[in-house]
Amino acid sequence: KQEVTQIPAALSVPEGENLVLNCSFTDSAIYNLQWFRQDPGKGLTSLLLIQSSQREQTSGRLNASLDKSSGRSTLYIAASQPGDSATYLCAVTDSNYQLIWGAGTKLIIKP
Amino acid sequence: DARVTQTPRHKVTEMGQEVTMRCQPILGHNTVFWYRQTMMQGLELLAYFRNRAPLDDSGMPKDRFSAEMPDATLATLKIQPSEPRDSAVYFCASAPGLAGVTDTQYFGPGTRLTVL
């Protein structure tokens, strides 16, 4: 059974720092991996989607990598800003086309 | 700016009452999802539709939950009778293609349900 884990559950860093969020999954048989952002009281916003055949995707200050063999993905945020404060979730589409979610990392960027 | 809309945004009801949540997917999106989010369980997929036909509702308690798409612009999630354990935020999401859960999904703002 596919399980997705995100560590740490919470992270607080000063503004301007580069940071990495981690996502791990137990079964490498996935179709893709997605990173989402959730602001308090709001829905989820898709940030990046990496297909299983890809190694990374970039959008602005965000870069997501995927290593299927080790069951890991990272979300790199460059030059963090207070507006980046949110909960970041990763989700994998497993071999049964089920979307399996991690519990999220709550990120706080201190001005 | 196309977006998924959900109504109501908040709902407080008493145990045993019927609850209906509505979702308007982005125009032209073929796949619609219903999720439930709680602190304990995180995000759970309840059901999803493709071209208005239900494809997977295995995540949904069948005895009290029902999901329908009366037309391409409206999806509904109904709970009857509601129970306190149904208290959660219910999200609707839509996706543009026919690839189902492998597409990028666009989420609505959610309906926060409290069952007393």
Side-chain angles (χ1 to χ4, degrees):
Chain A
K1 179 185 172 186
Q2 178 74 268
E3 293 182 359
V4 179
T5 304
Q6 292 185 249
I7 295 174
L11 181 64
S12 180
V13 300
E15 179 180 4
E17 280 197 7
N18 304 324
L19 60 100
V20 174
L21 305 180
N22 298 296
C23 173
S24 61
F25 47 95
T26 54
D27 187 346
S28 62
I30 64 171
Y31 284 97
N32 59 36
L33 183 145
Q34 301 182 63
W35 282 94
F36 291 84
R37 167 187 174 139
Q38 186 173 26
D39 294 282
K42 304 273 183 71
L44 286 80
T45 302
S46 178
L47 298 173
L48 290 163
L49 183 153
I50 312 177
Q51 300 295 348
S52 62
S53 58
Q54 297 174 323
R55 299 283 298 196
E56 66 177 347
Q57 283 285 336
T58 298
S59 175
R61 295 183 294 109
L62 305 180
N63 176 277
S65 69
L66 175 64
D67 183 344
K68 273 202 324 177
S69 60
S70 66
R72 292 181 182 177
S73 175
T74 61
L75 179 67
Y76 174 83
I77 302 177
S80 58
Q81 304 170 357
D84 295 330
S85 298
T87 297
Y88 291 80
L89 296 101
C90 72
V92 300
T93 303
D94 72 6
S95 56
N96 295 315
Y97 289 101
Q98 294 291 314
L99 198 60
I100 311 297
W101 294 83
T105 294
K106 184 175 181 179
L107 176 65
I108 297 173
I109 306 298
K110 297 174 289 187
Chain B
D1 183 26
R3 60 184 66 187
V4 176
T5 58
Q6 291 184 246
T7 57
R9 292 294 310 278
H10 302 272
K11 176 72 176 179
V12 180
T13 190
E14 293 187 348
M15 183 173 63
Q17 295 298 306
E18 177 179 299
V19 175
T20 299
M21 291 169 271
R22 293 177 175 80
C23 166
Q24 183 173 4
I26 293 173
L27 191 64
H29 281 196
N30 297 307
T31 311
V32 176
F33 306 82
W34 282 106
Y35 290 93
R36 175 171 63 183
Q37 186 178 38
T38 62
M39 289 294 293
M40 293 298 294
Q41 300 293 331
L43 266 162
E44 303 171 278
L45 176 66
L46 297 175
Y48 79 96
F49 295 76
R50 183 180 301 164
N51 288 332
R52 296 176 54 202
L55 281 193
D56 185 352
D57 61 1
S58 59
M60 203 164 65
K62 303 288 193 306
D63 56 339
R64 299 183 298 109
F65 284 59
S66 62
E68 296 179 345
M69 276 201 77
D71 61 61
T73 64
L74 177 65
T76 62
L77 179 66
K78 188 176 295 186
I79 308 174
Q80 168 63 21
S82 57
E83 298 180 0
R85 60 180 167 149
D86 301 329
S87 297
V89 180
Y90 291 81
F91 288 105
C92 173
S94 69
L98 297 177
V101 292
T102 60
D103 266 333
T104 296
Q105 298 179 28
Y106 297 81
F107 280 73
T111 293
R112 182 175 294 276
L113 174 65
T114 302
V115 183
L116 303 175

